[in-house]
Amino acid sequence: MEAKSIVIGVEGMTCDSCVQTIEQHVGKMNGIHNIKVSLEDKNAVIIYDSKLQTPATLQEAIYDMGFDATLADSNQQPVLPDTIFVTIPTQSALTSKQICNTLLKNKGILDVKMSSDQKTAVVTFISSIINGKQIIQMVPGVDLNISAPEVTPGTCEDSSWSQASSVVLRLKVEGMTCHSCTSTIEGRIGKLQGIQRIKVSLDNQEAVVVYQPHLITAEEIKHQIEAAGFTASFKKQPRPLKLSAIDLERLRNPQTKGSETALKEISNVNDTKTIVFRIDGMRCSSCVLNIQSTISALPSVTSIVVSLEKKSVIINYNPNLISIDILRKAIEAVSPETFKVSLPDEYENVAFFSMLASPLKSSHPALTDASQPLTQVVVINIEGMTCNSCVQSIEGVISQKAGVKSIHVSLSNRNGTIEYDPLQTSPEDLRSSIEDMGFDAFLSAKAERSVAIAQPSHEVQLESHKTEPPSKVSPAYLARQETKTISKCYVQVTGMTCASCVANIERNLRREDGIHSILVALMAGKAEVRYNPAVIHPSAIAELIRELGFGATVMESCGEGDGILELVVRGMTCASCVHKIESTLMKTNGVLYCSVALATNKAHIKFDPEIIGPRDVIQVIQNLGFATSLVKKDRSASHLDHKQEIRQWKRSFVVSLIFCIPVMGLMIYMMVMDSQLADAHAHHNMSSEEMEALHSSMVLEYQLLPGLSVMNFLSFLLCVPVQVFGGWHFYIQAYKALKHKTANMDVLIVLATTIAFAYSFVILLVAMAEKAKVNPVTFFDTPPMLFVFISLGRWLEHVAKGKTSEALARLISLQATEATIVTLGPDNVLLSEEQVDVELVQRGDIVKVIPGGKFPVDGRVIEGHSMVDESLITGEAMPVTKKPGHTVIAGSINQNGSLLISATHVGADTTLSQIVKLVEEAQTSKAPIQQFADKLSGYFVPSIVAVSVVTLFAWIIIGFVDFEIVEKYFLGYNKSISAAEVIIRFAFQASITVLCIACPCSLGLATPTAVMVGTGVGAQNGILIKGGEPLEMAHKVKVVVFDKTGTITHGTPEVMQVKFLVEGNQLPHHKMLAILGTAESNSEHPLGVAITKYCKKELDSETLGTCTDFQVVPGCGISCKVTNIEALLYRKDKMVEENNIKNVTLVKIEENTDESMQPALIIDADLPTTLTSQKYSVLIGNREWMSRNGLLVTSEVDKAMMEHERRGRTAVLAAVDGVLCGLIAIADTVKPEAELAVHTLKTMGLEVVLMTGDNSKTARSIASQVGITKVFAEVLPSHKVAKVKQLQDEGKRVAMVGDGINDSPALAMANVGIAIGTGTDVAIEAADVVLIKDDLMDVVASIDLSRKTVKRIRINFVFALIYNLIGVPIAAGVFLPIGLVLQPWMGSAAMAASSVSVVLSSLLLKMYQKPSAEKLEFRARGQMRHKSPSEISVHVGIDETGTGSPKLSLMDRIINYSRASINSLFSDKRSVNSIVLNEPDKHSLLVGDLGEDDDTAL
């Protein structure tokens, strides 16, 4: 027999009598132990016997009573029972069988077993429903089992002693991976006879079991865990619980073993004492009652008051009979034995010292047994904490560890005080746990002090307590503890998709103990929780959210942003002004911290935005007589426009150029002179003597010192500043790179320039030392020219990069800087208005936005009508109408009317801020192709250095082996230079050129620049792409899966057609509409809402008549009485008359004038008297509902209904006063652009699939309208994931398009999830691509943009690599034989060109235009057509088998297909193919009724 608990959601309860009705009705059912119905939470919690009842039968029972019942959480929780032993007296009037039957009749008692000697009964019961005391009262004469023989407790030798006591067993369980494993073990072991409690911890991989050893053995428990598939081993040998049922009984009846004298002594002593305990673990009022009933039964206790709110218990007791410690243990032993009882601080010290003062003389050896654990306290010094969040995270993690009783971490003292059980953990363990969290922790010298919690002697009086009655101190002390600290934490929540997720989290967390308030922001994916740190930790809050099925992590550094204010304060003169401001602010409620600096005139204030707003803080300072203003934040996107880098590289370029021009001049002059000389002496090579003579005759070759020419000296002077100032940045960057053992571009540049400079400098020194007559040839011209081209390239690159993030900068610039806040009086009268900074707007402020103004924050319109331009945020070109109740987005522009809005999201929570943040993150995220490029760059630099070194040695070797090659191809060779110098110079030139030309920069720029421009362009068009990966993945997509409801269709049913079945003279059409609209106005069903909306629109009225006796029969329809529609019809008639009169006046037709004017005038004259209210009886529903109410549905009407149903519509009949008068066809309409979007995707070569939870008939109809041929119908939300996976397993890349409400798991599973939303309702978490505008053409645009971007990335890679692939071999001299040779400066020019060309190529993406619907429509003209049903293959549910047609022979199938094709041409006939499945539409009222099947069968 197993008890389980389940929660059933109950809708339709209106008052307490509904609650009582349900409780009485269900409570009487067989197998129901307990039921608690809550009107507020709209649910019923039922504890029942799983053998006699199931969740479905309970749901049905509530349903039959006329309420809607839903299984809130279908997983039933096992209820852990308690067990007591009842002794049956020998002289009992009842037999053991009668006792069993009497007990089993009571609610809450699960099982009664008799011992073999028929003297003891073991009763298994649910402690939350019934307790031991009540059980004993049920059967006269029985008593709790106190028959243990009078041996000294603690010896544990006697079997009866161990029989009544429970034993704790700790097992190590290996192989658990998730919470379902823990539930499996708890469920399996909890069912076993003799198991009282079991708790399995996944984190500690252990199970703690409390069991009764006479009913089950430890080995058996271990065996059962192993049978469940886990490995179990004993951590500690089983040990008895401290206080068994016998102890409690002995406390209740001290006379059982006590002499008369003892009793006399007790009766003489009448002085009592009061003690206050703190109790953790109480959940509800039943815990309070349990503790009160159990403890008040003790003879030594005179009174007891338990407070659930204060978590305290105040006990008046006789210290001669009982000690504080036994009281504490008695409370802890109360079922369900999960209470933690502790003394407030002042008592603990007293108990501790009094215990040391006297030797322990205990009358209970068992309680002072050596095996009893002492609690020890250790102080651990912790370094590295920076703020309160560090403190909270340490306390949160360590408090979860096994054996830790309490922990207090002090930020100011940099230490943590931990109370722990030495049998379960040690100081060293605790220290290493703190270190694992990233802090430095070490044990202090006074590491441990044992706090013995053994029982103080009975004789010890707590002297210090006599001075002040503790009863006065303690409750106040506890209350102070409670209210002293309310902390706030922020939790990052992932997996929320819509407003219902937000409501779910907020609703569930508000119920939790210790949580004061919670606010969840959907767009930011963040929850702000105010909690009591004494009760709950942030990590536990995150765990609670995770249990609801969302991802949750505690945000460390968050929450400061909205409560920090930086102000400039003018008018302070001295330190007393500072003190005055600080002291006044600190006294202000809600200000947490304040620091004012006189020197800078600035104030830094931290405040709690829940209590006080930034404007209030400013007002406080202004009231003191100082002028204040906000420190202006840089709202522009200055970090995006690369201004600083552009300035830096421009400066670098100019410096290098100034020194480079003279060097280039000298070089050109020397080249010209050299060529003239070569011409003059073309016929014979010069000897060294002739060379010397020539050198001395040339101005630049004139030697200032032996070996030092004017030319070399000038080159050296011009080269040094460039090398130092121009190359400064490169040297720093190269040093940093090498320090981290990486090599980047800067390393190559530094290598090339330094080698050239150092080589030239050394050669010059050698020449001067040798006093050479012929001047050596140097490379001093190389560094300046290299730096010029590199800095030019970097400068142009940054200019271009600034352009790539223009889109984001434009988004940021949309933010308004000021807001007009107004104060409203009664009836929305404007009292005052003031201009404030946008940072000072608080939630709930009323903001006025004038025509042409920007909306400063997100909000809801409360007054005014206007058109709003949201084009920069949603990409929607047409202005959007805004009326009261509509939401507005920050950054959009108000066009023609003035609006008053109530601020809902301010600061960083506005939609615009979220979009900016998303785009920023997207632009910094890496595409997979980018990671490949980065990897390539990592290997690139070392390999180029290697190629350069190989080139150097290769040419030196070639030169010495075969000098003629060098002599032939080396420009400016003459005999005056030694061969060795020529070879070395040539080899150096080639290797330096290799270093110069190889540039990995362009490789690194190829992807990010394109991704940046792509995401920016997307954001401008209302397509938010979350980074490089989805952008790159979207072009690989082969299948696009559309969700139906809310994606292909609008998601709300609309009336498509109303067919009037009676003549207009019997029941005027507008009268019928008024009656039907009024009748459905009370209905919450989507179809009812659609009818009311349609009627209001047709009658052009916001109000309708009165509806009474409203009854709903689910799956059939409604019935009600309608009155008061005459006034409505009179207004309608009046409008018609007026229009008629106007028309009559225009067209002079005399005959009709009298007819039309007369009635209007008569009615107008005496409206109050002539309008008598008539009552109409109305029925609206399906065929069955009409036949139930005795109305005949003619075959003609039935045929019309069938035709509508074939088209996927829901047909509803209406009857007034017993006459069938109307047929209403309702359907969820297809979005106008859906067909074009599907056609375009198909022309792009993609397979399009429709997936829906709807029935196959509706799905087929929708698919035929939009041109989709493959449909998965009746797929549950949970199965959508499996369907997507199935498509992926076929090797296809899948894009899933949904509205992010019920299909977020499928969006996450797909290769690219595309969430289609409407502005602020978009749940950014749900998908990779978010379409802000509710337009399916944006799906086409997002895939098109992805394809264009990836194409651009590939072109960029070509640009990046072409220079290197062609340039490096040329530079290395591979093409010397065909006369191709490069100078180092040419290499650096090529290198700069590659980077610039890559960025310019990316910028071309800015020209991207979204494919316009008009163009695509023109192109698709004549190609789009509705599909016939035979062309559509429908797959039902999760299986793959198509239900294209029934299983027929080939011939029959051909006939059916041809017939279906013919039928599709004549829309009045039904298609054979559409009858395959005729489940009702999900919006249909015909839920599960058989009538329809009969009606629609052939």
Side-chain angles (χ1 to χ4, degrees), residues 277-288:
F277 288 114
R278 176 180 172 79
I279 305 184
D280 288 309
M282 292 193 292
R283 291 256 170 250
C284 58
S285 311
S286 84
C287 300
V288 172

PDB file of all heavy atoms in Angstrom, residues 277-288:
ATOM      1  N   PHE A 277      14.086  28.657  21.807  1.00  0.00           N
ATOM      2  CA  PHE A 277      14.900  27.957  20.797  1.00  0.00           C
ATOM      3  C   PHE A 277      14.601  28.538  19.420  1.00  0.00           C
ATOM      4  O   PHE A 277      13.479  28.984  19.164  1.00  0.00           O
ATOM      5  CB  PHE A 277      14.529  26.460  20.745  1.00  0.00           C
ATOM      6  CG  PHE A 277      14.999  25.666  21.919  1.00  0.00           C
ATOM      7  CD1 PHE A 277      14.103  25.098  22.813  1.00  0.00           C
ATOM      8  CD2 PHE A 277      16.364  25.460  22.129  1.00  0.00           C
ATOM      9  CE1 PHE A 277      14.539  24.351  23.886  1.00  0.00           C
ATOM     10  CE2 PHE A 277      16.796  24.709  23.209  1.00  0.00           C
ATOM     11  CZ  PHE A 277      15.894  24.153  24.096  1.00  0.00           C
ATOM     12  N   ARG A 278      15.596  28.471  18.540  1.00  0.00           N
ATOM     13  CA  ARG A 278      15.354  28.784  17.122  1.00  0.00           C
ATOM     14  C   ARG A 278      15.158  27.444  16.404  1.00  0.00           C
ATOM     15  O   ARG A 278      15.934  26.519  16.592  1.00  0.00           O
ATOM     16  CB  ARG A 278      16.573  29.501  16.536  1.00  0.00           C
ATOM     17  CG  ARG A 278      16.427  29.768  15.056  1.00  0.00           C
ATOM     18  CD  ARG A 278      17.646  30.473  14.484  1.00  0.00           C
ATOM     19  NE  ARG A 278      17.529  30.539  13.033  1.00  0.00           N
ATOM     20  CZ  ARG A 278      16.792  31.415  12.384  1.00  0.00           C
ATOM     21  NH1 ARG A 278      16.138  32.336  13.036  1.00  0.00           N
ATOM     22  NH2 ARG A 278      16.728  31.410  11.056  1.00  0.00           N
ATOM     23  N   ILE A 279      14.106  27.339  15.596  1.00  0.00           N
ATOM     24  CA  ILE A 279      13.829  26.076  14.883  1.00  0.00           C
ATOM     25  C   ILE A 279      13.876  26.318  13.380  1.00  0.00           C
ATOM     26  O   ILE A 279      13.131  27.155  12.856  1.00  0.00           O
ATOM     27  CB  ILE A 279      12.442  25.507  15.253  1.00  0.00           C
ATOM     28  CG1 ILE A 279      12.323  25.338  16.762  1.00  0.00           C
ATOM     29  CG2 ILE A 279      12.207  24.183  14.537  1.00  0.00           C
ATOM     30  CD1 ILE A 279      11.041  24.705  17.202  1.00  0.00           C
ATOM     31  N   ASP A 280      14.767  25.606  12.680  1.00  0.00           N
ATOM     32  CA  ASP A 280      14.808  25.676  11.219  1.00  0.00           C
ATOM     33  C   ASP A 280      14.153  24.428  10.657  1.00  0.00           C
ATOM     34  O   ASP A 280      14.303  23.344  11.220  1.00  0.00           O
ATOM     35  CB  ASP A 280      16.257  25.751  10.719  1.00  0.00           C
ATOM     36  CG  ASP A 280      16.848  27.111  11.026  1.00  0.00           C
ATOM     37  OD1 ASP A 280      16.199  28.093  10.673  1.00  0.00           O
ATOM     38  OD2 ASP A 280      17.938  27.185  11.638  1.00  0.00           O
ATOM     39  N   GLY A 281      13.442  24.588   9.559  1.00  0.00           N
ATOM     40  CA  GLY A 281      12.874  23.413   8.892  1.00  0.00           C
ATOM     41  C   GLY A 281      11.372  23.310   9.018  1.00  0.00           C
ATOM     42  O   GLY A 281      10.769  22.395   8.483  1.00  0.00           O
ATOM     43  N   MET A 282      10.741  24.272   9.770  1.00  0.00           N
ATOM     44  CA  MET A 282       9.274  24.248   9.821  1.00  0.00           C
ATOM     45  C   MET A 282       8.746  24.790   8.501  1.00  0.00           C
ATOM     46  O   MET A 282       9.214  25.819   8.022  1.00  0.00           O
ATOM     47  CB  MET A 282       8.769  25.135  10.965  1.00  0.00           C
ATOM     48  CG  MET A 282       9.113  24.586  12.326  1.00  0.00           C
ATOM     49  SD  MET A 282       8.203  25.435  13.631  1.00  0.00           S
ATOM     50  CE  MET A 282       8.930  27.067  13.588  1.00  0.00           C
ATOM     51  N   ARG A 283       7.761  24.084   7.925  1.00  0.00           N
ATOM     52  CA  ARG A 283       7.265  24.466   6.602  1.00  0.00           C
ATOM     53  C   ARG A 283       5.870  25.090   6.667  1.00  0.00           C
ATOM     54  O   ARG A 283       5.560  25.998   5.940  1.00  0.00           O
ATOM     55  CB  ARG A 283       7.204  23.253   5.675  1.00  0.00           C
ATOM     56  CG  ARG A 283       8.554  22.727   5.301  1.00  0.00           C
ATOM     57  CD  ARG A 283       8.937  23.117   3.896  1.00  0.00           C
ATOM     58  NE  ARG A 283      10.331  22.808   3.628  1.00  0.00           N
ATOM     59  CZ  ARG A 283      11.264  23.707   3.470  1.00  0.00           C
ATOM     60  NH1 ARG A 283      10.983  24.976   3.559  1.00  0.00           N
ATOM     61  NH2 ARG A 283      12.509  23.365   3.201  1.00  0.00           N
ATOM     62  N   CYS A 284       5.009  24.542   7.556  1.00  0.00           N
ATOM     63  CA  CYS A 284       3.618  24.984   7.545  1.00  0.00           C
ATOM     64  C   CYS A 284       3.033  24.837   8.943  1.00  0.00           C
ATOM     65  O   CYS A 284       3.708  24.437   9.885  1.00  0.00           O
ATOM     66  CB  CYS A 284       2.816  24.159   6.552  1.00  0.00           C
ATOM     67  SG  CYS A 284       2.920  22.410   6.954  1.00  0.00           S
ATOM     68  N   SER A 285       1.724  25.118   9.056  1.00  0.00           N
ATOM     69  CA  SER A 285       1.073  25.085  10.368  1.00  0.00           C
ATOM     70  C   SER A 285       1.071  23.689  10.964  1.00  0.00           C
ATOM     71  O   SER A 285       1.037  23.531  12.184  1.00  0.00           O
ATOM     72  CB  SER A 285      -0.369  25.566  10.248  1.00  0.00           C
ATOM     73  OG  SER A 285      -0.394  26.755   9.533  1.00  0.00           O
ATOM     74  N   SER A 286       1.104  22.650  10.105  1.00  0.00           N
ATOM     75  CA  SER A 286       1.052  21.299  10.684  1.00  0.00           C
ATOM     76  C   SER A 286       2.330  20.997  11.454  1.00  0.00           C
ATOM     77  O   SER A 286       2.316  20.254  12.435  1.00  0.00           O
ATOM     78  CB  SER A 286       0.807  20.253   9.597  1.00  0.00           C
ATOM     79  OG  SER A 286       1.988  19.898   8.983  1.00  0.00           O
ATOM     80  N   CYS A 287       3.473  21.562  11.027  1.00  0.00           N
ATOM     81  CA  CYS A 287       4.723  21.402  11.793  1.00  0.00           C
ATOM     82  C   CYS A 287       4.553  22.026  13.183  1.00  0.00           C
ATOM     83  O   CYS A 287       4.960  21.459  14.198  1.00  0.00           O
ATOM     84  CB  CYS A 287       5.888  22.088  11.085  1.00  0.00           C
ATOM     85  SG  CYS A 287       6.214  21.446   9.450  1.00  0.00           S
ATOM     86  N   VAL A 288       3.947  23.236  13.182  1.00  0.00           N
ATOM     87  CA  VAL A 288       3.737  23.947  14.451  1.00  0.00           C
ATOM     88  C   VAL A 288       2.893  23.084  15.387  1.00  0.00           C
ATOM     89  O   VAL A 288       3.240  22.873  16.549  1.00  0.00           O
ATOM     90  CB  VAL A 288       3.056  25.310  14.187  1.00  0.00           C
ATOM     91  CG1 VAL A 288       2.664  25.978  15.498  1.00  0.00           C
ATOM     92  CG2 VAL A 288       3.977  26.208  13.377  1.00  0.00           C
TER      93      VAL A 288
END
